[in-house]
């Protein structure tokens, strides 16, 4: 087996070594520059499209001439024939054959004359440039790029200079991310980029249009949009995948999806069944991971070897989008409805072991062991729909979601506790069985009015929304518990208890916003950029709980009069507010645009809570009043053609009121290792936070660097915390109390860098996050601060060479440290994950792919665990269109897969393992039906 691994690794090394050898000693490069000029009218031409090509018509680069008519291309080959094309609306396209002389690094063409188009010409020769500008739209003409007949849109985009298609499907143009990808101006099957890029054939494409569009919610900002314009008649299509596989240990998988599209309708039908931990969470997950292109280093829809337990699932569903105005060209004249239905049946079995160390005082620790076995079955139905209506200044959005789930569960848990001397002090074993039915319904309606046309009208805009949520929970379960105190048998307890619990919850939220008060009272007066807004939020929550509890006594089940209870809770939350804002802007045409916006909101939140119960001590009424201001600052710096930056800062206060189950719960004594108590004196939590977001888009012509940073920090006053009492038998009684001193800070960010080489591309990405929290708590009356610090860092490298090789390497490191100030303990854990993924295409039909993950888990308590998961696939595609595929897969070749979870709580550290899926081999047959356009009518 080791020999197989070395053989596969050597293939990747040879491939990368060969490709790097091609670029190890780059040839010298030069620069071409000039000025585009119209001598008839005696002025320079700005925004002319200037393109440079190789002798074989391959595009090297393109750009627009600047305000002074200037253009400049760098990194061009010396002593090689090139072609320069210059075009502009209303002018004749000129072509010049040029060469940078050997021994010279700069070729200055000085003035390049372009002549106006003669409208009286009788014969016009029309040529299609690969790349052109039409007003403010960049157009990439597909016919100008010669690719394989089975190529997709993604293959085309990878040939275009200044455009990068990242491994996760994100597209960047000059370093700026494309926020929306449409097909003929409409969202394509849920809007996932991969579905469009890896399914639509290049031969069905007329052109790709890239342009800026205004952000309706943020008028000062704009989004980059890419539209795939299909050839006439190609907007009627079908595509998908049908696949079946069988493997060792009787493992199996079936999955398929069929997608149909017309100018008005998009319809998807999906289904899947397997016992190898491949359970898609929604319809788009299956469609996204079964595209026609379907090769590369992506391993999203492989068996999830990190998922705990053994899982068998069946899913089915359908998704539909209907456009009522398919021919509308205006963004504010659209109407569509999207609906999907999803069914999931899941069977899972889990076996787990856990060891926990708890510190209760200096040099005094308790040890707990737990062995859990459980099996679960569930059936879930989900139906979602969204209706959007845009008509001039009006926008209406309606959405609903309906979910219902039925299931049952059986479990057993064997637990034991030891004292500081490692003496066994108690056991608490339990068995349980339950069945449940859950139903959830949500509905949201939002209306937005924005006057874009009549600048004289005083009433400019209005925002309104209504949300309603209805939840029902029905649960019948039985718990049998046996607690044994090995130091004092008088504390032994046995429980055999039945629970019938029904709960209902109705939540409604209404929000109304009236912005642009300045125009209402003062018309179009500037008022030095000041404006105001009135907002109001009303949230109503009504909940009911009906609990019928029985205990097994003398051979019969009898009602438990303490735990059986009927409870109603009504909460009213009203928050009115008024905002004052001021905006600043500065710009220089075709040079830069800068803006600054400051907004201050003063709001008062009033919350009324009313509880009615069969238990008199739960009949509580409470009112909470708090000032909840919000301050936000937004700044942007758009240096045209160079970079774009944005900074957002905000400060806000959030209130979290204690629930009745925190104030006055009914304590259930079946789990003596965790008895919950309440506190009628609890106050509301006040979370005051500062949030920051910064991003930088590099808009250079190549090798762009993009990054963004997100952060938050806050203080929680009156934090609701546990005050835990733990005895030597590890019995815990948890009271709730308020404490100050809670602090937290979070910082995350990512960096992306791409290098387009001569015949290959290198992509680098780095993601990081830092999290710190200081949590107050009490343990056996001892006040303690738990200082927690964790990091999660990931470095990813992706290298592609022509259409032959794709290789990806990822290094991840996750760390966590928990220090207890009063207890003098420190718990640490470090997890290292090293991953290699690769795909090598020996021919257009045969490829090998493999991925291997090396895992190292190193806790401060317990043993270090190392294991590797190695998967490999051999794929052969056949038929003329490469639509049929046979794949041989070898999963977890080393048979080392393990499931390890280590985590620290306030004063304890837990290490645990669970059962997981392990090695199997499988043969899979797949077919990719795909057709864009209808057959030509027979004569």
């Amino acid at each position: 087996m080791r020999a197989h691994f070395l053989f596969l690794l050597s293939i990747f090394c040879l491939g990368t070594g060969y490709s790097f050898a091609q670029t190890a000693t780059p040839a010298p490069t030069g620069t071409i520059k000039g000025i585009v000029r119209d001598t008839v009218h005696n002025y320079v031409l700005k925004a002319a499209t200037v393109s440079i090509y190789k002798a074989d018509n391959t595009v090297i680069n393109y750009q627009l001439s600047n305000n002074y008519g200037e253009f400049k291309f760098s990194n061009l080959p010396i002593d090689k024939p090139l072609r320069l094309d210059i075009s502009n609306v209303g002018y004749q396209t000129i072509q010049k054959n040029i060469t940078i002389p050997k021994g010279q690094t700069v070729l200055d063409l000085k003035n390049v004359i372009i002549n106006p188009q003669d409208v009286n010409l009788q014969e016009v020769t029309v040529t299609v440039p690969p790349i052109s500008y039409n007003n403010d739209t960049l157009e990439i003409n597909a016919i100008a790029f010669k690719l394989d007949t089975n190529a997709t849109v993604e293959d085309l985009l990878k040939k275009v200079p200044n455009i990068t298609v990242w491994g996760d499907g994100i597209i960047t143009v000059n370093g700026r991310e494309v926020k929306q990808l449409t097909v003929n101006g409409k969202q394509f099957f849920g809007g996932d980029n991969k579905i469009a890029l890896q399914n639509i054939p290049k031969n069905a494409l007329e052109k790709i249009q890239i342009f800026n569009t205004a952000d309706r919610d943020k008028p000062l900002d704009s989004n980059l949009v890419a539209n795939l314009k299909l050839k006439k008649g190609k907007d009627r299509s079908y595509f998908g995948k049908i696949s079946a596989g069988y493997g060792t240990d009787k493992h199996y998988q079936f999955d398929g999806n069929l997608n149909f599209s017309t100018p008005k309708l998009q319809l998807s039908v999906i289904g899947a069944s397997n016992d190898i931990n491949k359970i898609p969470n929604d319809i788009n997950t299956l469609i996204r991971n079964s595209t026609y292109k379907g090769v590369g280093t992506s391993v999203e829809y492989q068996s999830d070897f990190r998922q705990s337990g053994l899982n068998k699932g069946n899913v089915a569903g359908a998704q539909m989008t209907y456009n009522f105005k398919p021919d509308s060209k205006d963004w504010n004249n659209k109407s569509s409805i999207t609906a999907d239905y999803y069914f999931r049946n899941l069977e899972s079995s889990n076996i787990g072991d856990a060891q926990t160390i708890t510190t209760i005082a200096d040099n005094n620790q308790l040890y707990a062991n737990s062995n859990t076995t459980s099996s679960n079955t569930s059936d879930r139905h989900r139906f979602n729909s969204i209706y959007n209506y845009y008509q001039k200044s009006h926008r209406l959005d309606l959405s609903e979601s309906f979910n219902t789930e039925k299931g049952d569960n059986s479990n057993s848990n064997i637990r034991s506790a030891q004292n500081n001397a490692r003496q066994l002090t108690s056991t608490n074993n339990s068995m349980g069985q339950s069945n449940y039915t859950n139903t959830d319904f949500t509905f949201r309606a939002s209306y937005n009015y924005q006057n874009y046309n009549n600048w004289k009208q005083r009433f400019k805009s209005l925002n309104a929304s209504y949300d309603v949520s209805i939840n029902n929970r029905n649960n019948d379960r039985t718990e049998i518990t046996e607690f044994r105190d090995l130091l004092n048998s008088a504390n032994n307890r046995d429980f055999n208890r039945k629970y019938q619990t029904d709960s209902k919850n109705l939540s409604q939220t209404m929000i109304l916003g009236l912005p642009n008060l300045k125009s209402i009272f003062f018309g179009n007066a500037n008022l030095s950029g000041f404006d105001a807004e009135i907002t109001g939020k009303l949230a109503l929550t009504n909940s009911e709980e009906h609990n019928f509890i029985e205990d097994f006594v003398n051979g019969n089940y009898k009602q438990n009069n303490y735990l059986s209870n009927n409870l109603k809770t009504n909460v009213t939350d009203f928050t009115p507010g008024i905002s004052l804002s001021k905006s600043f802007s500065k710009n220089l045409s075709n040079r830069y645009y800068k803006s600054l916006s400051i907004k201050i909101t003063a709001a008062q939140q009033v919350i009324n809570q009313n509880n009615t119960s069969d238990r008199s001590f739960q009949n509580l009424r409470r009112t909470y009043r708090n000032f909840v201001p919000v301050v936000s600052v937004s700044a942007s710096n758009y240096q045209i053609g160079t970079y774009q930056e944005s900074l957002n800062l905000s400060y806000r206060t959030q209130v979290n009121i204690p629930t009745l189950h925190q104030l006055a719960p009914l304590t259930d004594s079946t789990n003596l290792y965790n008895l919950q108590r309440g506190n009628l004196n609890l106050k509301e939590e006040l979370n005051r936070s500062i949030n920051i977001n910064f991003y930088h888009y590099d808009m250079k012509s190549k090798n762009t660097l993009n990054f963004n940073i997100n952060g938050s920090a806050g203080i929680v006053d009156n934090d609701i915390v546990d005050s835990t009492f733990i005895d030597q038998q590890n019995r815990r009684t948890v009271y709730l109390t308020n404490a100050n001193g809670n602090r937290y800070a979070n910082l995350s960010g990512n960096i992306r860098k791409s290098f387009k080489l001569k015949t290959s591309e290198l992509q680098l990405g780095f993601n990081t996050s830092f999290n710190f929290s200081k949590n107050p708590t009490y343990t056996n009356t001892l006040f303690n601060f738990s200082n927690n610090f964790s990091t999660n860092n990931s470095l990813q490298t992706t290298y592609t060479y022509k259409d032959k090789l794709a290789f990806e390497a990822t290094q991840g490191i996750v760390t966590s440290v928990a220090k207890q100030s009063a207890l003098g303990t420190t718990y640490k854990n470090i997890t290292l994950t090293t991953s290699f993924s690769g795909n090598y295409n020996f021919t257009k039909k045969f490829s090998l792919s493999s991925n291997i993950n090396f895992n190292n888990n190193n806790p401060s308590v317990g043993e270090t665990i190392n294991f590797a998961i190695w998967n490999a696939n051999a794929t052969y595609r056949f038929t003329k269109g490469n639509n049929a595929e046979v794949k041989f897969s070898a999963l977890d070749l080393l048979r080392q897969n393990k499931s390890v979870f280590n985590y620290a709580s306030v004063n304890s550290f837990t290490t645990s393992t669970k059962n997981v899926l392990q090695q199997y081999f499988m043969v899979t047959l797949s077919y990719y039906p795909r057709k864009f356009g209808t057959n030509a009518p027979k004569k």
Side-chain angles (χ1 to χ4, degrees):
M1 190 170 296
R2 183 180 180 185
H4 290 299
F5 170 67
L6 293 176
F7 171 71
L8 189 61
L9 190 60
S10 65
I11 290 176
F12 292 145
C13 291
L14 286 173
T16 54
Y18 170 75
S19 58
F20 274 119
Q22 302 299 306
T23 59
T25 54
T29 60
T31 299
I32 293 177
K33 64 180 182 178
I35 300 175
V36 184
R37 181 177 288 278
D38 174 359
T39 57
V40 174
H41 299 92
N42 194 29
Y43 54 60
V44 298
L45 282 180
K46 68 178 182 178
T49 303
V50 187
S51 307
I52 195 86
Y53 302 86
K54 295 181 181 178
D56 61 359
N57 291 328
T58 301
V59 180
I60 298 178
N61 209 338
Y62 61 92
Q63 60 183 245
L64 290 180
S65 58
N66 64 16
N67 276 3
Y68 309 99
E70 300 168 338
F71 64 88
K72 183 177 180 180
F73 294 100
S74 303
N75 300 317
L76 298 177
I78 294 177
D79 197 28
K80 299 288 184 181
L82 304 171
R83 191 182 87 237
L84 181 74
D85 284 11
I86 302 178
S87 61
N88 199 15
V89 177
Y91 288 82
Q92 299 178 25
T93 299
I94 67 167
Q95 296 181 346
K96 295 177 67 71
N97 295 319
I98 54 179
T99 301
I100 302 176
K102 191 174 183 179
Q104 187 174 331
T105 58
V106 178
L107 176 62
D108 189 352
L109 301 177
K110 301 186 183 301
N111 291 323
V112 181
I113 308 304
I114 182 170
N115 297 316
Q117 181 73 53
D118 187 353
V119 296
N120 296 320
L121 288 176
Q122 298 299 315
E123 294 185 5
V124 178
T125 302
V126 179
T127 60
V128 179
I131 299 164
S132 60
Y133 274 89
N134 184 2
N135 293 325
D136 293 330
T137 300
L138 170 67
E139 295 187 342
I140 302 166
N141 298 297
I143 195 173
F145 293 83
K146 306 302 180 183
L147 297 174
D148 182 81
T149 56
N150 295 320
T152 63
V153 174
E154 182 177 74
D155 298 319
L156 168 61
L157 283 177
K158 289 183 176 180
K159 300 293 183 182
V160 181
N162 305 350
I163 293 181
T164 302
V165 181
W166 299 84
D168 54 7
I170 289 177
I171 305 169
T172 55
V173 179
N174 287 330
R176 189 178 175 196
E177 180 181 343
V178 173
K179 293 295 185 180
Q180 185 180 15
L181 178 68
T182 61
V183 178
N184 283 354
K186 298 181 286 290
Q187 192 179 73
F188 191 71
F189 289 95
D192 189 288
N193 289 357
K194 283 189 175 182
I195 297 175
L197 296 180
Q198 298 186 355
N199 280 307
I200 298 177
K202 177 260 183 187
N203 292 336
L205 189 66
E206 178 183 339
K207 64 178 64 175
I208 302 172
Q209 301 167 316
I210 300 174
F211 54 91
N212 282 302
T213 184
D215 189 326
R216 184 170 182 131
D217 298 321
K218 299 178 180 179
L220 294 178
D221 295 338
S222 63
N223 293 325
L224 194 63
V225 176
N227 178 56
L228 308 181
K229 185 178 180 181
L230 303 182
K231 295 178 181 176
K232 186 176 182 180
K234 298 296 184 180
D235 52 1
R236 297 181 180 272
S237 64
Y238 64 82
F239 63 92
K241 177 185 178 182
I242 301 171
S243 178
Y246 189 77
T248 56
D249 298 327
K250 297 183 179 180
H251 285 303
Y252 66 90
Q253 70 166 356
F254 303 95
D255 61 76
N257 71 86
L258 291 174
N259 310 278
F260 306 89
S261 176
T262 70
K264 287 188 175 182
L265 178 68
Q266 295 177 8
L267 176 65
S268 299
V269 180
I270 67 104
S273 177
N274 65 78
D275 66 345
I276 51 174
N277 286 10
K278 292 174 65 173
I279 314 296
N281 292 320
D282 51 43
I283 292 174
N284 271 14
T285 298
L286 187 59
I287 300 175
R288 180 176 62 250
N289 291 288
S290 55
T291 59
Y292 166 80
K293 188 173 179 63
V295 295
T297 63
S298 176
V299 292
E300 293 178 43
Y301 194 54
Q302 282 194 347
S303 295
D304 187 357
F305 283 94
R306 297 184 182 276
Q307 185 176 357
S308 60
L310 301 177
N311 301 276
K312 180 189 298 185
N314 305 289
V315 302
Q319 178 177 267
M320 178 271 293
T321 298
Y322 186 83
N323 288 282
F324 296 95
K325 301 177 180 180
D327 300 323
S328 175
K329 305 298 182 183
D330 300 325
W331 65 270
N332 60 348
N333 184 23
K334 294 183 178 181
S335 179
S336 66
I337 186 170
T338 298
D340 68 83
Y341 165 75
Y342 186 73
F343 166 76
R344 187 194 73 179
N345 164 261
L346 182 63
E347 299 179 20
S348 60
S349 59
N350 295 271
I351 301 173
D353 299 305
Q355 297 78 40
T356 301
I357 297 177
T358 302
T359 303
I360 59 176
D362 289 342
N363 301 317
N364 190 358
Q365 294 180 322
L366 300 180
Y367 304 87
N369 296 292
S370 175
N371 305 101
T372 304
T373 302
S374 66
S375 61
N376 308 272
T377 61
S378 64
D379 292 328
R380 176 185 296 176
H381 301 265
R382 183 176 68 215
F383 177 74
N384 302 313
S385 63
I386 300 173
Y387 173 73
N388 304 117
Y389 175 82
Y390 298 173
Q391 181 63 45
K392 294 183 179 179
S393 299
H394 305 275
R395 171 177 174 175
L396 177 65
D397 298 288
L398 304 175
S399 63
E400 66 79 33
S401 178
F402 176 77
N403 297 272
T404 179
E405 183 174 2
K406 296 179 65 175
D408 57 71
N409 168 270
S410 61
N411 63 82
S412 64
N413 197 344
I414 300 174
R415 289 172 289 184
S416 63
Q418 297 174 329
N419 60 20
N420 198 52
R422 290 287 188 171
Q423 177 187 11
L424 189 64
T425 58
S426 66
T427 62
N428 190 38
N429 303 328
S430 63
M431 291 190 304
Q433 191 166 3
S434 66
N435 58 78
Y436 63 90
T437 302
N438 299 330
T439 303
D440 302 282
F441 172 77
T442 59
F443 173 79
R444 174 177 174 80
S446 65
Y447 171 76
N448 173 266
Y449 172 78
Q450 191 74 37
N451 176 31
Y452 293 101
N453 303 316
N454 187 359
W455 64 273
K456 294 183 180 180
Q457 182 175 309
R458 286 177 175 265
F459 184 70
K460 300 290 186 182
S461 58
L462 173 71
N463 301 312
S465 66
Y466 172 73
D467 294 79
V468 60
S469 175
I470 302 174
N471 314 106
N472 291 325
R473 301 283 184 269
N474 300 303
N475 192 311
D476 294 331
R477 63 187 176 96
T478 301
E479 291 287 344
I480 301 174
T481 304
E482 179 186 83
F483 177 79
R484 293 294 178 265
D485 187 336
L486 303 182
L487 301 180
N488 184 359
S489 60
N491 293 325
N492 294 346
R493 295 288 186 273
D494 293 295
F495 297 95
N496 185 337
R497 186 167 286 174
K498 279 188 176 181
Y499 300 81
Q500 295 181 24
T501 302
D502 298 324
S503 64
K504 299 178 181 179
N505 185 81
L506 171 64
S507 299
Q508 302 175 83
T509 303
M510 289 149 279
I511 300 176
L512 181 65
L514 188 61
N516 303 120
L517 293 181
K518 177 195 71 173
S519 63
I520 294 177
F521 293 104
F522 302 100
N524 292 309
N526 186 26
L527 297 184
S528 300
F530 283 97
D531 207 340
E533 177 181 5
I534 295 177
T535 59
K537 176 182 177 182
L538 176 63
L540 306 174
T541 302
N542 309 98
S543 60
E544 296 182 13
E545 290 186 20
H546 304 284
N547 300 286
F548 183 70
I549 316 299
E550 295 179 298
D551 287 319
F552 191 75
V553 180
N554 299 326
N556 295 298
Y557 280 99
K558 296 183 179 180
Q559 181 176 346
N560 184 309
N561 294 321
Y562 173 73
L563 293 176
S564 297
N565 186 32
N566 295 299
L567 173 66
K568 293 183 179 180
T569 300
N570 298 319
V571 178
T572 302
D573 182 346
F574 179 54
T575 310
I578 184 168
S579 302
L580 182 66
S581 62
K582 179 172 173 58
S583 299
F584 307 85
S585 64
K586 183 179 180 181
N587 71 86
L588 180 61
S589 178
N590 282 339
R591 291 295 183 181
Y592 64 81
Y593 176 81
K594 300 178 181 181
S595 67
L596 175 66
S597 177
I598 303 173
K599 185 176 182 180
I600 301 174
T601 302
Q604 180 73 18
Q605 186 174 20
V606 181
I607 304 175
N608 290 306
Q609 182 189 57
N610 184 19
N611 304 284
T612 305
S613 171
D614 292 345
R615 303 289 165 260
S616 60
F617 66 88
Q618 289 187 321
N619 293 321
L620 303 173
R621 297 177 67 102
R622 296 228 170 166
T623 299
Y624 304 90
R625 293 182 176 88
N626 290 280
F627 179 60
V628 286
V630 178
V631 179
S632 62
V633 179
S634 300
S636 65
N637 180 10
Y638 183 20
Q639 297 290 327
I640 297 174
T642 306
Y643 65 86
Q644 182 176 357
E645 292 178 338
S646 176
L647 173 67
N648 296 284
L649 285 169
S650 67
Y651 166 84
R652 65 183 62 247
T653 300
Q654 294 175 298
V655 179
N656 180 33
I657 68 171
T659 66
L660 179 64
H661 295 292
Q662 292 175 317
L663 294 168
L666 299 179
T667 303
D668 190 339
S669 56
T670 52
N671 184 4
L672 293 177
Y673 281 169
N674 188 19
L675 295 177
Q676 295 290 325
R677 304 289 186 183
N679 183 354
L680 291 172
N681 297 315
L682 286 178
K683 300 177 182 179
E684 70 272 30
E685 292 181 338
L686 297 178
N687 184 351
R688 296 182 174 90
S689 63
I690 296 175
N691 304 279
I692 182 172
N693 171 263
F694 176 82
Y695 74 76
H696 171 95
Y697 286 145
D698 198 345
M699 303 181 71
K700 298 176 182 177
S701 61
K702 61 186 300 185
N703 298 347
T704 58
L705 174 67
N706 301 330
F707 61 89
N708 70 72
I709 300 172
N710 301 284
S712 64
I715 299 173
V716 181
D717 293 333
N718 298 326
D719 189 18
I720 299 176
V721 301
D722 292 341
S723 178
T724 308
F725 292 86
I726 310 173
D727 62 18
Q728 291 298 315
Q729 289 75 24
N730 206 25
R731 292 180 300 184
R732 301 169 184 234
T733 304
V734 181
Y735 296 87
L736 295 176
T737 187
N738 291 111
N740 291 322
N742 187 321
R743 306 284 189 273
Y744 65 88
N746 308 293
L747 183 67
S748 63
N750 67 72
I751 302 174
R752 290 188 179 220
K753 177 76 174 176
S754 67
F755 300 90
K756 281 200 172 184
L757 309 176
K758 184 177 181 181
T759 56
S760 58
E761 183 175 3
L762 179 66
Q763 298 178 355
L764 302 176
F766 177 69
N767 295 275
T768 184
S769 67
F770 298 86
N771 303 282
F772 168 78
S773 65
K774 183 178 182 180
N775 303 316
T777 187
Y778 292 87
T779 302
N780 289 1
T781 70
L782 178 66
F783 183 73
N784 174 56
F785 276 112
S786 177
N787 297 294
N788 307 294
F789 181 73
S790 64
T791 67
N792 191 336
N793 300 280
S794 176
L795 177 64
Q796 183 180 69
T797 302
T798 303
Y799 176 78
T800 56
Y801 171 69
K802 292 185 176 179
D803 295 325
K804 285 287 186 181
L805 175 69
F807 183 78
E808 182 178 291
T810 304
Q811 178 62 60
I813 176 171
V814 179
T815 67
S816 62
V817 179
K819 294 183 178 181
Q820 317 306 319
S821 60
L823 301 175
T825 60
T826 301
Y827 300 114
K828 298 180 180 179
N829 188 73
I830 300 175
T831 300
L832 299 174
T833 304
T834 306
S835 303
F836 299 98
S837 302
N839 184 86
Y840 189 82
N841 299 316
F842 289 89
T843 67
K844 292 181 179 179
K845 295 181 177 292
F846 178 67
S847 64
L848 282 180
S849 62
S850 182
N851 62 83
I852 186 168
N853 299 297
F854 298 97
N855 302 272
N856 173 272
N857 195 277
N858 186 9
S860 60
V861 178
E863 62 178 338
T864 299
I865 298 177
N866 296 285
F867 64 96
I869 304 174
W870 180 25
N871 306 317
N873 301 281
T875 304
Y876 180 74
R877 283 196 168 183
F878 51 99
T879 72
K880 181 179 179 180
N882 288 343
N883 294 82
E885 176 185 276
V886 59
K887 177 187 288 187
F888 174 75
S889 303
L891 289 303
D892 189 22
L893 277 165
L894 305 178
R895 207 179 186 89
Q896 293 184 2
N897 187 31
K898 297 178 182 178
S899 177
V900 181
F901 298 92
N902 295 337
Y903 54 91
S905 63
V906 174
N907 62 329
S908 65
F909 186 83
T910 300
T911 62
S912 65
T913 59
K914 296 183 179 181
N915 64 320
V916 289
L917 179 69
Q918 288 192 317
Q919 183 188 86
Y920 71 93
F921 301 88
M922 180 170 285
V923 176
T924 306
L925 295 174
S926 303
Y927 179 69
Y928 297 84
R930 185 174 73 140
K931 186 176 182 179
F932 282 75
T934 57
N935 293 326
K938 294 183 179 180
K939 296 183 180 180

